[in-house]
């Protein structure tokens, strides 16, 4: 089994799915401390899920107003700093990771040469930008940007680069932070050995007065 690491995870939620309880339980069983920050979910079903997360071992905070995931992620970073954690995992409520994920990510960071200051390590499959340089050793590669869900940060790196932009609310939070990490001299590292399953939304056809919009032979779709 994977060795335990001194790590915390933060999961922002809004009307979280029932499957989140099992994901929280798996993290706790792996030795990761979990903070669930709920962004003022209005549904009664959310109360059941959040209570289940607490019973599974997470600390649950319920925000009085909907303020976006930036604030929730920063609350997790400050919580991890207070607990003197070495690593912080940021995770969306609809992202699944395998057991031992955080320990694997920490091991990958520690395997890189001492000259490489890692801002975060993330799964290659969710990168939306091409690699920026040659491999960093083994299968790790430097990237311009990585999605935050499933990313593992050495806690101190956010002290240098700054936290997530709360005024961005949700979109481009990860892109903007990655650019600041890189500007501070830290590396955004991708690794194929980190596997996640992430829901990117339900694709919906774009329509105009009831007619689908097509480009060539392709229907234009958006993710909701």
């Amino acid at each position: 089994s994977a060795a335990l690491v001194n790590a915390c995870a933060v999961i922002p939620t809004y009307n979280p799915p029932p499957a989140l309880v099992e994901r929280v339980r798996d993290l706790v069983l792996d030795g990761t401390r979990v903070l669930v920050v709920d962004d003022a979910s209005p549904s009664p079903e959310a109360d059941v899920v959040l209570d289940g997360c607490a019973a599974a071992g997470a600390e649950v905070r319920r925000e009085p107003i909907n303020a976006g995931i930036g604030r929730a992620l920063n609350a997790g970073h400050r919580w991890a700093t207070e607990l003197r954690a070495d690593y912080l995992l940021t995770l969306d409520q609809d992202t699944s990771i395998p057991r031992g994920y955080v320990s694997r990510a920490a091991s990958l960071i520690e395997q890189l040469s001492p000259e490489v200051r890692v801002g975060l390590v993330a799964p290659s499959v969710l990168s939306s930008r091409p690699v920026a340089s040659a491999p960093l050793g083994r299968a790790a590669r430097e990237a311009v940007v990585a999605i935050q869900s499933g990313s593992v940060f050495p806690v101190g790196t956010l002290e240098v680069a700054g936290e997530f932009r709360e005024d961005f609310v949700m979109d481009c939070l990860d892109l903007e932070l990655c650019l600041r990490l890189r500007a501070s001299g830290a590396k955004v590292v991708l690794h194929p050995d980190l596997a996640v399953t992430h829901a990117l939304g339900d694709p919906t056809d774009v329509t105009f007065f009831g007619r689908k919009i097509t480009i060539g032979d392709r229907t234009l779709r958006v993710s909701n």
Side-chain angles (χ1 to χ4, degrees):
S1 61
L4 296 180
V5 297
N6 181 19
C8 293
V10 57
I11 309 174
T13 62
Y14 184 78
N15 292 337
L20 181 63
V21 176
E22 190 63 30
R23 294 168 189 157
V24 166
R25 183 176 292 112
D26 285 346
L27 281 166
V28 172
L29 289 173
D30 277 346
T32 301
R33 291 162 289 189
V34 181
L35 175 65
V36 174
V37 182
D38 186 72
D39 214 5
S41 293
S43 70
E45 292 83 2
D47 293 335
V48 175
V49 175
L50 295 171
D51 288 344
C53 289
E59 179 175 330
V60 177
R61 298 182 187 177
R62 305 189 188 202
E63 297 294 331
I65 61 171
N66 186 281
I69 67 170
R71 181 177 296 185
L73 292 170
N74 287 340
H77 172 246
R78 293 162 195 161
W79 180 69
T81 301
E82 290 170 4
L83 294 177
R84 300 182 182 277
D86 295 323
Y87 298 100
L88 173 67
L89 166 69
T90 61
L91 203 62
D92 287 349
Q93 66 183 21
D94 54 2
T95 302
S96 298
I97 59 175
R99 293 286 304 273
Y101 182 92
V102 179
S103 296
R104 178 62 177 150
S107 175
L108 293 171
I109 292 172
E110 290 161 8
Q111 287 171 15
L112 295 174
S113 67
E115 300 85 48
V116 177
R117 185 161 68 85
V118 176
L120 66 88
V121 63
S124 296
V125 68
L126 293 182
S127 171
S128 59
R129 295 292 184 274
V131 295
S133 72
L136 295 171
R138 300 176 66 94
R141 296 189 71 91
E142 183 183 357
V144 176
V145 63
I147 192 170
Q148 64 79 16
S149 186
S151 290
V152 176
F153 300 79
V155 170
T157 60
L158 295 183
E159 298 292 341
V160 176
E163 295 182 320
F164 289 91
R165 283 280 298 266
E166 295 183 8
D167 57 330
F168 277 28
V169 185
M170 180 181 296
D171 291 333
C172 297
L173 275 170
D174 34 21
L175 185 151
E176 192 273 339
L177 177 62
C178 285
L179 295 179
R180 275 192 285 116
L181 285 169
R182 286 167 52 79
S184 74
K187 304 290 188 185
V188 174
V189 179
L190 304 181
H191 205 289
D193 287 357
L194 296 179
V196 301
T197 303
H198 181 72
L200 293 176
D202 297 322
T204 304
D205 293 338
V206 177
T207 60
F208 184 70
F209 289 105
R211 299 188 65 178
K212 295 179 182 180
I213 305 298
T214 60
I215 300 174
D217 60 352
R218 220 170 37 158
T219 300
L220 184 61
R221 313 190 87 191
V222 294
S223 181
N224 296 289

